[in-house]
Amino acid sequence: AVGFDITSRKPAPIEVPLPNQTFDLRISHGMKTLNGDGALTVKWGAAVTIVAHDALTLTESNDISWQCRNLISLLVGEQLSLREISIIAADPAEAPTYERDLSRVYQQVGKHDHKDIHPQLMLLPYGMIKDDFASMVAKWFERSQQTVLATDIFFGSQSFQSPAVNLKFLTASQSVESYHRSLGTG
């Protein structure tokens, strides 16, 4: 019998402090191994956590989640969808490490027909932009309120199926026009 050893490890979480925002971001990785029929499959996943500086409303949390999804979709180069949103609340009356899961607010099912995207196929994989990642995230959120119409038009159009080319071109043009207007450059 021929054998071999495999070693894998999870990358350290990516911490993105955003002092000018009401939150910080943390991206943590998960690893799941499936073993069977003489094969080993390793699947990687990532979770984006919004770490609030103070209490956030559900509307604020939802808006931040939407903008995180949009930013990462742009970096990956493929439309992403949220699999689930969980809210974890720290209880100020307890020790600072105490957290309890309030509820699973949203879980999307059935829109994950596409295969996972290999880093070689990503537009801007993290390894390529890791030195600039924190400043990219900070700039994205500094401008997110100003450009909400442009991003909503652009990302809202990405799931259109028919006649995709004409409609996607039109909405991309409208989102660029809206973004340019939001800059107030005339």
Side-chain angles (χ1 to χ4, degrees), residues 63-94:
D63 291 345
I64 294 167
S65 298
W66 174 253
Q67 289 299 331
C68 286
R69 174 199 164 276
N70 292 346
L71 173 61
I72 294 173
S73 292
L74 278 178
L75 297 175
V76 168
E78 179 86 16
Q79 178 89 3
L80 301 179
S81 56
L82 298 172
R83 290 190 186 216
E84 69 181 51
I85 296 176
S86 296
I87 296 178
I88 299 172
D91 186 344
E94 298 289 330

Side-chain angles (χ1 to χ4, degrees), residues 135-157:
S135 65
M136 292 170 74
V137 172
K139 285 179 186 175
W140 179 266
F141 282 103
E142 285 170 11
R143 296 180 180 166
S144 66
Q145 290 302 316
Q146 183 182 13
T147 61
V148 71
L149 180 60
T151 56
D152 284 353
I153 291 170
F154 180 77
F155 288 105
S157 71

Side-chain angles (χ1 to χ4, degrees), residues 19-172:
N20 296 333
Q21 300 295 323
T22 58
F23 60 95
D24 294 329
L25 287 184
R26 178 184 309 124
I27 301 174
S28 49
H29 303 85
M31 182 175 72
K32 181 178 180 182
T33 58
L34 306 169
N35 197 356
D37 295 331
L40 174 68
T41 304
V42 179
K43 292 186 173 192
W44 291 93
V48 178
T49 303
I50 299 165
V51 183
H53 299 167
D54 290 312
L56 294 173
T57 66
L58 286 175
T59 302
E60 291 168 325
S61 298
N62 189 48
D63 291 345
I64 294 167
S65 298
W66 174 253
Q67 289 299 331
C68 286
R69 174 199 164 276
N70 292 346
L71 173 61
I72 294 173
S73 292
L74 278 178
L75 297 175
V76 168
E78 179 86 16
Q79 178 89 3
L80 301 179
S81 56
L82 298 172
R83 290 190 186 216
E84 69 181 51
I85 296 176
S86 296
I87 296 178
I88 299 172
D91 186 344
E94 298 289 330
T97 57
Y98 175 76
E99 293 182 344
R100 71 184 165 181
D101 194 353
L102 288 181
S103 62
R104 177 166 289 146
V105 177
Y106 175 86
Q107 184 167 9
Q108 183 169 347
V109 180
K111 284 197 85 175
H112 302 286
D113 307 352
H114 304 292
K115 292 185 176 186
D116 292 338
I117 302 167
H118 191 275
Q120 300 299 339
L121 301 174
M122 291 181 185
L123 185 61
L124 294 170
Y126 180 72
M128 182 186 290
I129 59 170
K130 68 181 176 183
D131 294 338
D132 299 318
F133 184 70
S135 65
M136 292 170 74
V137 172
K139 285 179 186 175
W140 179 266
F141 282 103
E142 285 170 11
R143 296 180 180 166
S144 66
Q145 290 302 316
Q146 183 182 13
T147 61
V148 71
L149 180 60
T151 56
D152 284 353
I153 291 170
F154 180 77
F155 288 105
S157 71
Q158 295 303 299
S159 59
F160 292 152
Q161 297 298 322
S162 66
V165 174
N166 295 337
L167 194 53
K168 284 184 179 180
F169 175 74
L170 177 62
T171 55

Side-chain angles (χ1 to χ4, degrees), residues 143 145-148 150 176-185:
R143 296 180 180 166
Q145 290 302 316
Q146 183 182 13
T147 61
V148 71
V176 169
E177 177 187 7
S178 176
Y179 176 74
H180 184 261
R181 245 182 306 164
S182 72
L183 297 177
T185 57

